[in-house]
Amino acid sequence: MSPVTRLLVLLLAIGGGMVYKRLNQLWGDLPPPTLDPEQWWGDEEQPKDYAAYLSNSSEVIGNRLVYPDSTIQDLIKQLNRTLRLTPPLEGVAFEYGFNSDYLKELIAYWRDDYLPRWRAREVFLWQFNHFTTEIQGLRMHFLHLMVYDENKVGKHHYPVLLLHGWPGSVREFYDLIHMLHQTHLDPNNKYIFNVIVPSLPGYAWSQGTSRPGLGPAQMAVMLRNLMLRLGYDKFFIQGGDWGSVLGSNIATLYPQNVLGYHSNMCNNLSPRSHVKGLLASVWPSLFVPSAFTDFFFPKSKEFGYLLEEGGYFHLQATKPDTVGAALTDNPVGLAAYILEKFSTWTNASYRSLPDGGLTKRYTLDALFDNVMIYYLTNSITTSQRLYAEAYTKEQQALQLDRVPTLVPTGCARFKGDIMQFLDLQLKDKYKNLIHSTYYRRGGHFAALELPKVLYKDFIDFVKKVESKFKIESL
């Protein structure tokens, strides 16, 4: 090899090494950050003796909140006011947002059918055991269903943490809760589940903070602390929407506590993931079974859909309090804003239907149960602040999308959901992605829309975790 050739080889090696080093700095895996498990979010000053605070605040209180007749009658009066809604454009269904003609019909149903039956709906909502406890200065609400089965021979007993998102609530999970909690009654089923379903901080009956900085990473710390408070140091997680992000964060930050993470909205928003998604669009069949390429491609369709449906996201990530002010004490606006998401996020084609297809997949009672939770708890503003907190410089600096998640992971994709990610992208983050499924029916709110399908998918995931990893039952 001539001196010139040797020099060129040396320069190429140095240049290649520098490029690799730079790419690794931009895209490579990162170690998990350390978050303060005692970070204080309460309104009052943090106690100087935190150990004493923990011992004094560890009580778990059973709750059954009953709203007075005056609250319901006041809501009925508000709904009785003359609606000065602007008529929809000629031939327009939900393309411009919630169709005002159909909104009038729904408000009439809410006022004249649903609310006169409110006490029955209240009994339905409180059918499970509701509790509150204080975590890091904030009151946290949760459902907790335990199974005391004296005949545990041959049964595998696990806790499972179910995490909702926005604009959902614990109500989304009611059918799934029943299925998981009653699994042990089936003699052919070997599983027993203790089910824990919290209202996220700032949602429903869980207190919101008055301090800035409570983002998805910090919220994950609180949820893990809740599970430890209840005596669960190892548990499964299932979640969608924000519940997917929070579940992923718990699994990433505290892998020693998570038996498996299952989501119906797995995502990876790292730069490397986006590049892989674009490259895969050149030859999709190389990266996904041909039967499911339409879940991901063409990318132009996905981007168009996100532009159409993502306006709320930008508003809530930048001006959540302005949107909240417009919706507070405005039940008609609140219902329109929330229910529209249950239309187009379930199936984008429902945009062309005059009723938004809302009753194709859900009952009106279930939808208004969820709206009532936001209305009665006045939590629309505090719930939306999570979007703004997720995109602060401090939160983004954690770069959790680049921190590998090592726990067993399962992803169920429903065709109508807002976005989809290839296994190729997900495996960058979820190093033990052992379960990946596709469902042509269903959208963003799978737990409410298709609880049986989601239940079976979760059980199949648990079976795979047991077969590939050594995990301990309760």
Side-chain angles (χ1 to χ4, degrees):
M1 184 182 297
S2 69
V4 174
T5 303
R6 282 199 296 268
L7 179 61
L8 287 174
V9 170
L10 179 61
L11 290 174
L12 286 172
I14 293 173
M18 292 174 66
V19 169
Y20 176 80
K21 184 178 180 180
R22 182 58 179 156
L23 286 176
N24 197 54
Q25 289 175 340
L26 294 172
W27 292 357
D29 292 342
L30 296 175
T34 300
L35 284 92
D36 183 1
E38 299 178 357
Q39 189 168 2
W40 188 256
W41 299 107
D43 293 337
E44 65 281 1
E45 186 179 349
Q46 181 171 352
K48 293 181 180 178
D49 189 343
Y50 199 81
Y53 159 75
L54 284 177
S55 63
N56 294 330
S57 67
S58 61
E59 184 179 9
V60 174
I61 303 169
N63 280 295
R64 188 179 186 281
L65 299 178
V66 177
Y67 291 91
D69 288 338
S70 58
T71 299
I72 305 306
Q73 290 304 314
D74 180 68
L75 174 56
I76 290 174
K77 286 180 182 178
Q78 291 190 68
L79 297 177
N80 265 325
R81 291 182 305 191
T82 301
L83 289 179
R84 297 188 302 159
L85 296 174
T86 303
L89 295 173
E90 184 178 339
V92 170
F94 266 59
E95 292 90 348
Y96 279 59
F98 208 105
N99 183 284
S100 55
D101 287 343
Y102 186 57
L103 182 57
K104 290 178 182 178
E105 293 182 31
L106 285 190
I107 298 308
Y109 174 86
W110 191 6
R111 180 190 63 223
D112 301 332
D113 190 320
Y114 179 93
L115 286 174
R117 296 182 288 109
W118 169 246
R119 293 305 172 199
R121 297 313 303 167
E122 203 170 46
V123 169
F124 176 86
L125 288 172
W126 293 99
Q127 65 184 281
F128 301 123
N129 297 322
H130 290 242
F131 300 92
T132 57
T133 192
E134 190 170 306
I135 303 290
Q136 295 169 246
L138 295 181
R139 180 190 68 254
M140 186 172 288
H141 163 266
F142 59 97
L143 314 181
H144 189 192
L145 290 83
M146 302 178 69
V147 176
Y148 301 97
D149 193 338
E150 296 179 358
N151 183 24
K152 283 190 175 182
V153 178
K155 298 279 188 177
H156 299 186
H157 195 169
Y158 302 116
V160 55
L161 174 65
L162 303 181
L163 298 173
H164 69 81
W166 187 93
S169 64
V170 297
R171 175 61 181 89
E172 291 178 71
F173 288 115
Y174 271 42
D175 288 342
L176 183 61
I177 291 169
H178 274 297
M179 294 175 194
L180 290 169
H181 186 237
Q182 296 175 1
T183 298
H184 70 288
L185 300 177
D186 181 356
N188 298 317
N189 200 314
K190 66 179 181 180
Y191 294 111
I192 301 172
F193 292 107
N194 287 6
V195 186
I196 305 91
V197 195
S199 294
L200 303 183
Y203 287 68
W205 298 278
S206 284
Q207 182 183 355
T209 185
S210 57
R211 302 166 183 256
L214 181 52
Q218 293 77 15
M219 203 172 281
V221 174
M222 293 185 68
L223 292 166
R224 184 247 190 175
N225 282 343
L226 171 65
M227 295 301 282
L228 297 179
R229 169 74 52 85
L230 298 177
Y232 301 122
D233 60 358
K234 292 185 182 295
F235 47 90
F236 280 96
I237 300 174
Q238 201 293 319
D241 194 84
W242 279 120
S244 173
V245 176
L246 296 169
S248 175
N249 287 350
I250 298 170
T252 302
L253 296 169
Y254 305 106
Q256 71 274 19
N257 297 121
V258 180
L259 297 170
Y261 161 63
H262 179 275
S263 176
N264 49 291
M265 192 183 163
C266 287
N267 63 80
N268 179 5
L269 298 175
S270 70
R272 185 166 59 186
S273 169
H274 287 306
V275 170
K276 285 188 173 184
L278 289 173
L279 291 175
S281 66
V282 177
W283 201 335
S285 60
L286 287 179
F287 304 100
V288 64
S290 57
F292 304 118
T293 53
D294 60 327
F295 275 64
F296 309 96
F297 307 108
K299 282 295 179 184
S300 58
K301 183 178 179 181
E302 182 181 71
F303 292 152
Y305 178 64
L306 288 174
L307 284 173
E308 288 178 337
E309 293 300 322
Y312 84 98
F313 195 104
H314 186 69
L315 283 171
Q316 292 173 195
T318 54
K319 310 289 183 183
D321 287 23
T322 302
V323 182
L327 299 177
T328 298
D329 284 334
N330 176 9
V332 174
L334 182 69
Y337 195 66
I338 289 176
L339 294 180
E340 185 228 327
K341 309 299 182 282
F342 284 85
S343 166
T344 50
W345 292 5
T346 297
N347 190 318
S349 70
Y350 290 172
R351 191 184 289 110
S352 63
L353 301 177
D355 63 356
L358 282 172
T359 56
K360 284 182 174 291
R361 311 301 301 148
Y362 313 106
T363 67
L364 289 181
D365 278 1
L367 293 174
F368 277 108
D369 285 345
N370 186 62
V371 172
M372 285 293 285
I373 289 172
Y374 278 88
Y375 176 80
L376 292 171
T377 61
N378 192 29
S379 57
I380 189 62
T381 301
T382 52
S383 70
Q384 292 174 160
R385 285 176 179 163
L386 179 55
Y387 288 81
E389 297 294 356
Y391 288 91
T392 62
K393 291 180 180 178
E394 294 78 10
Q395 196 75 202
Q396 292 296 298
L398 297 173
Q399 298 192 78
L400 284 170
D401 282 317
R402 290 178 57 188
V403 180
T405 303
L406 304 179
V407 304
T409 300
C411 297
R413 299 176 184 84
F414 291 84
K415 180 69 165 57
D417 209 345
I418 300 169
M419 63 179 74
Q420 309 284 356
F421 286 80
L422 299 156
D423 283 355
L424 173 75
Q425 297 168 287
L426 296 176
K427 286 179 179 178
D428 273 345
K429 176 167 177 59
Y430 303 104
K431 304 300 184 181
N432 284 303
L433 180 64
I434 62 170
H435 179 80
S436 182
T437 53
Y438 300 83
Y439 298 97
R440 291 207 163 274
R441 225 177 138 195
H444 189 67
F445 304 97
L448 184 63
E449 182 186 1
L450 295 168
K452 291 181 180 178
V453 175
L454 189 62
Y455 167 78
K456 183 180 181 304
D457 198 275
F458 177 74
I459 294 296
D460 289 344
F461 168 64
V462 173
K463 290 177 180 177
K464 290 179 182 177
V465 174
E466 287 185 325
S467 68
K468 295 177 180 290
F469 299 86
K470 185 179 181 180
I471 61 174
E472 295 183 6
S473 175
L474 286 177

